[in-house]
Amino acid sequence: MSPGIQLPLSYRLRPALRRVLVLAGGLLLAFGMLSAVPAAAQTRVKDLVTFDGVRRNQLVGYGLVVGLNGTGDRLINTPFTEQSLKGMMERLGINTRGETLRTRNAAAVMVTASLPPFPRQGTTVDVTVSALGDATSLLGGTLVVTPLLGADGEAYAVAQGPLSVSGYSAGGAAATVTKGVPTTARIANGATVERELKFALNDVGVVRMALRNPDFTTAIRIADAVNGRLGTGNARVVDLTTVDVRITGSYVGNVSRLIGEIEQLAVRPDAIARVVVDERSGTIVIGDDVRVSRVAITQGNLTVRVVETPQVSQPQPFSNGSTVVVPRTDVQVQEGNGRQFVTVGGNVSLQQLVNGLNALGVGPRDMVAILQAIKAAGALHADLEII
């Protein structure tokens, strides 16, 4: 190519254009990667609150299970079962007055169920059946018609049907094998709703939300999210537990749609920094916002061992002495080598805090004592809850 020949402008700009396109592609890829990283963990309002009037109601009833294979209540030990059997027989036209019942094929039970929100007549719900007396198993039993009562004493459902028992018990005179709990059973769709709850959702003028974990910051964020969707002034924070939403515009008479749209709003919940300790199992749960001031910790190890080795002292032959047991107790106290101080705390993340605590090399139960000592020293900036 001779130097006198001039290339077209479009051909001369092609390498520069390629560099620009490569740079633009890199920027787009970088922005795409950044957008894929979540800014903060957000949760639906649906998972943070409950709506006033939209709730479950507990039902309970007393009934009888029949058809057991000799695993029911001993009537001599459970007089209420015998009275229930006689009452049921009399209602069916059989006179049992003055008679002594000896059956072991029946058991008195408590029947519980959870009534869903806005149940309609004819809706079926699951029920749980639990033995009251000394029945050993409910396997193979059938629940007789049992009314289920609400907190107001009214019957809202009726339960009946064959039981489904997940556990079993088998054994003989010298050994017994039990798996699960054979004295508790369930009946799928075992109760039929007979009375509806009187609550007109579309007649309310304000939707009230109750936070499952009360917190002022979370309540304010929920109200802001609702106002951003419906308009400023529709939602207001009553207290750290309650947020009210006024029903206006097209949502009047269509409250279900309003609740559905509010449920899908995403907010970032907040909570008090908390450390939960279960001393029985040694379980420790540390929240993400827990902070510890800079402290130095060391932990000792004291072991006390008591060994009993009793000895038998026998008298000489043809003597008048008697054989006695002489106690021998060996007590050993051992103090482990003291560990060096380990520095824990400062304005660090949860992972750094856990790494610092793990550096102490102690078990969960010793960690409980360490956390209590840090709290007593005023260095643990969190709520220490022991359950």
Side-chain angles (χ1 to χ4, degrees):
M1 183 184 303
S2 62
I5 300 177
Q6 297 292 329
L7 295 177
L9 180 61
S10 60
Y11 189 84
R12 283 183 288 150
L13 292 177
R14 197 169 295 170
L17 182 61
R18 282 199 294 266
R19 288 194 297 271
V20 171
L21 291 177
V22 170
L23 178 60
L27 291 175
L28 289 176
L29 180 60
F31 282 121
M33 294 177 63
L34 288 175
S35 62
V37 178
Q42 292 188 331
T43 306
R44 297 179 304 174
V45 174
K46 184 176 186 177
D47 303 319
L48 298 175
V49 304
T50 58
F51 293 88
D52 189 19
V54 184
R55 47 159 291 182
R56 291 180 173 271
N57 292 274
Q58 306 303 321
L59 303 179
V60 64
Y62 170 84
L64 284 174
V65 170
V66 297
L68 303 176
N69 187 19
T71 59
D73 293 338
R74 295 182 179 89
L75 300 186
I76 192 174
N77 297 332
T78 53
F80 51 85
T81 305
E82 183 177 6
Q83 294 173 9
S84 301
L85 279 172
K86 289 182 178 181
M88 182 186 68
M89 303 283 283
E90 290 180 359
R91 286 194 299 270
L92 295 176
I94 302 174
N95 186 10
T96 58
R97 294 180 181 178
E99 300 294 334
T100 302
L101 303 180
R102 300 294 184 186
T103 180
R104 283 212 61 192
N105 295 337
V109 295
M110 293 299 294
V111 184
T112 57
S114 181
L115 197 64
F118 311 108
R120 299 305 176 189
Q121 191 171 7
T123 305
T124 57
V125 296
D126 298 345
V127 298
T128 301
V129 181
S130 306
L132 271 176
D134 57 357
T136 58
S137 177
L138 298 179
L139 184 64
T142 300
L143 178 68
V144 182
V145 175
T146 303
L148 300 181
L149 311 179
D152 56 358
E154 299 290 340
Y156 287 90
V158 176
Q160 179 175 279
L163 306 184
S164 175
V165 183
S166 58
Y168 63 85
S169 179
T176 302
V177 176
T178 302
K179 179 182 179 182
V181 182
T183 54
T184 299
R186 287 185 64 85
I187 306 177
N189 298 323
T192 304
V193 176
E194 299 294 343
R195 183 194 297 266
E196 298 181 2
L197 296 174
K198 297 180 180 180
F199 180 75
L201 181 63
N202 288 328
D203 293 342
V204 300
V206 175
V207 172
R208 172 160 291 184
M209 296 181 288
L211 274 69
R212 292 189 173 96
N213 297 314
D215 184 80
F216 280 113
T217 304
T218 305
I220 292 173
R221 290 173 181 173
I222 292 176
D224 291 343
V226 174
N227 287 328
R229 178 63 180 269
L230 305 179
T232 303
N234 284 323
R236 69 183 185 92
V237 178
V238 178
D239 49 43
L240 75 166
T241 304
T242 310
V243 177
D244 285 349
V245 180
R246 290 190 302 106
I247 301 174
T248 58
S250 61
Y251 297 110
V252 176
N254 193 11
V255 181
S256 298
R257 183 176 184 84
L258 173 64
I259 292 177
E261 293 183 4
I262 292 175
E263 285 181 336
Q264 299 305 316
L265 298 177
V267 299
R268 183 169 60 88
D270 201 9
I272 299 175
R274 180 177 287 111
V275 177
V276 181
V277 175
D278 186 355
E279 286 191 317
R280 291 168 295 182
S281 62
T283 302
I284 302 173
V285 179
I286 303 176
D288 185 39
D289 295 327
V290 174
R291 293 294 181 266
V292 177
S293 297
R294 194 170 184 84
V295 291
I297 305 172
T298 184
Q299 195 265 346
N301 187 12
L302 182 65
T303 303
V304 179
R305 179 178 300 174
V306 180
V307 180
E308 296 285 352
T309 55
Q311 297 180 355
V312 178
S313 177
Q314 294 183 345
Q316 295 295 329
F318 305 105
S319 65
N320 294 327
S322 58
T323 302
V324 295
V325 178
V326 180
R328 290 288 187 272
T329 303
D330 183 19
V331 180
Q332 299 178 0
V333 179
Q334 180 181 2
E335 185 173 4
N337 296 328
R339 297 183 178 91
Q340 295 181 350
F341 278 91
V342 176
T343 302
V344 178
N347 190 14
V348 296
S349 64
L350 175 62
Q351 185 61 48
Q352 292 172 319
L353 175 60
V354 171
N355 293 338
L357 294 175
N358 288 336
L360 296 174
V362 297
R365 296 197 178 275
D366 292 332
M367 193 70 72
V368 172
I370 292 175
L371 289 173
Q372 290 176 335
I374 295 176
K375 180 67 174 179
L380 180 61
H381 305 299
D383 184 14
L384 180 60
E385 182 177 348
I386 300 177
I387 60 176

